[in-house]
Amino acid sequence: AQLNMELDNLQAEREAATVSVAAADLVRYEALSRKLSGLAVASLHEGTCTACGLTITPSMQQVIRGGADLVNCPQCGRILYAG
C-alpha cells in the first residue's frame, strides 16, 4: 500500500513537471527513455558526457549550456544538460 501511494505521488509530480515541456520534446524524451533502458538524459561534466564519456566539442558545449535547444550526445544519443 505504501509503495502504491509513493508511485501515485511520483506520477503526480511527473505530470506537474511535464506541463511546461513542449510536446515534441516530451515525445523525444520518452522514445529515448524506452530505447536506452530509462536513462535518456546525461549531464555534461568537465566537457564529457557522463553516460558514455565522450568529449563534447566546445561549440556543442556552448549550445548545451545555453539551454535553448536539446542536444543529443553524438555517441550514446542521450540528451545532454549542463549540470
Side-chain angles (χ1 to χ4, degrees), residues 15 21 41 63:
E15 288 176 19
V21 177
V41 179
V63 174

Side-chain angles (χ1 to χ4, degrees), residues 28-43 49-52 72-73 76-81:
R28 184 173 166 184
Y29 166 81
E30 289 173 346
L32 281 172
S33 185
R34 283 189 301 276
K35 178 182 173 187
L36 300 170
S37 302
L39 184 60
V41 179
S43 65
C49 170
T50 58
C52 70
N72 292 78
C73 173
C76 70
R78 289 174 173 85
I79 298 167
L80 294 170
Y81 75 96

